[in-house]
Structures are given as C-alpha cells and as structure tokens.
C-alpha cells in the first residue's frame, strides 16, 4: 500500500474507488503532476472517473494537508504527495521538471534580522532553478 493511502486510511478518510485511484496516481517520490495529468492517469485505472471528481479530490487532499499544491511558475499547479517531509524544489527552467530536494541547514537562518521588517518568520519556501540533464543535452 502506498504511503499516501496509508496516511489517508489512518485519518479515517472515506476511501471510495475514485479517491483510491487518485491517491494511487499520486504515489511515489518526485511526483508533481498537474490535475489534468492526474485525471489522465486515473482514467487509465478507472475509465469512468470524471475530471470534476479528480479536481474535487485533489482539493480535499490539499485542504486536509495530505498533498501540497505547488506553483513554481506561471504553469499549471502541481500536486505533491510529499506533504509530511520538509523539502524544497528543484525546477528545470526549460521543461518544468520538478524534483524534491532536501538541503541541509535552515533557510530561515539565512534571512538577516534587518530583512525581516519585524515579521515573525515561521517558514520559507525555496525553489532552485536550473536546467535538467535532458534539456542540457538537447
């Protein structure tokens, strides 16, 4: 059983066939699919699943904190099931590939007090940008 499915069962989330398929599609490392990609893969497993059901399920998963909604540029939002392990993202500026990365150190400590403007900073989202090996070789 996938990590996401285990977490959802542990919460007592009602597991319909449609919800199970969406969770299965999102399972894995470095998964950052758009809603349309989730729908296309879900249809392969459950042909009658509707686009609205996929969008609603993704919205519920984000609301309950089991999936992250990732927006790294002006492209479509992506959905990341790695919601319980702190991480940042590495994004290819050419093709949009996203990888989870786990840098050492605390990004909050790199923001000097003079740049906090009195804010109590609680979190930092860092996106690393570059060119993936596939695009670099093209």
């Amino acid at each position: 059983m996938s990590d996401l499915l285990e977490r959802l069962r542990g919460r007592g989330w009602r597991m319909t066939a449609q919800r199970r398929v969406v969770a299965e599609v999102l399972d894995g490392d470095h998964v950052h699919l758009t809603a349309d990609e989730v729908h296309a893969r879900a249809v392969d497993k459950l042909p009658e699943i509707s686009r609205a059901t996929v969008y609603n399920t993704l919205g519920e998963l984000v609301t309950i904190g089991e999936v992250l909604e990732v927006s790294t540029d002006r492209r479509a939002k992506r959905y990341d099931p790695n919601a319980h392990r702190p991480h940042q993202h590495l994004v290819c500026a050419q093709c949009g590939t996203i990888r989870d990365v786990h840098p050492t150190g605390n990004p909050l400590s790199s923001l000097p007090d003079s740049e906090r403007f009195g804010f109590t900073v609680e979190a930092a989202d860092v996106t690393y940008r570059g060119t993936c090996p596939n695009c670099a070789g093209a």
Side-chain angles (χ1 to χ4, degrees):
M1 184 182 341
S2 77
D3 181 52
L4 180 56
L5 280 172
E6 286 180 27
R7 292 191 325 249
L8 293 171
R9 283 206 172 104
R11 292 183 84 115
W13 201 53
R14 197 171 134 248
M15 194 61 66
T16 64
Q18 293 86 353
R19 285 176 165 184
R20 179 186 338 279
V21 165
V22 170
E24 288 172 354
V25 166
L26 287 172
D27 188 44
D29 292 329
H30 307 289
V31 174
H32 302 91
L33 301 173
T34 66
D36 287 339
E37 290 169 335
V38 172
H39 178 253
R41 292 181 186 192
V43 165
D44 289 343
K45 294 175 177 254
L46 188 67
E48 65 272 14
I49 194 168
S50 72
R51 186 178 307 277
T53 297
V54 169
Y55 275 79
N56 290 338
T57 302
L58 290 170
E60 289 176 36
L61 291 170
V62 169
T63 298
I64 65 172
E66 292 296 340
V67 171
L68 302 173
E69 194 173 67
V70 178
S71 183
T72 60
D73 51 25
R74 293 184 183 147
R75 298 176 187 190
K77 292 177 185 168
R78 296 181 174 271
Y79 296 88
D80 181 354
N82 191 3
H84 295 281
R85 183 171 177 216
H87 65 283
Q88 307 302 332
H89 292 106
L90 177 62
V91 180
C92 178
Q94 292 184 29
C95 70
T97 294
I98 303 172
R99 302 289 292 189
D100 290 345
V101 293
H102 305 89
T104 58
N106 180 356
L108 295 179
S109 65
S110 65
L111 183 63
D113 288 339
S114 62
E115 291 294 317
R116 293 178 188 232
F117 301 98
F119 280 63
T120 300
V121 180
E122 298 158 358
D125 294 319
V126 177
T127 302
Y128 300 92
R129 298 184 190 284
T131 305
C132 73
N134 289 338
C135 290

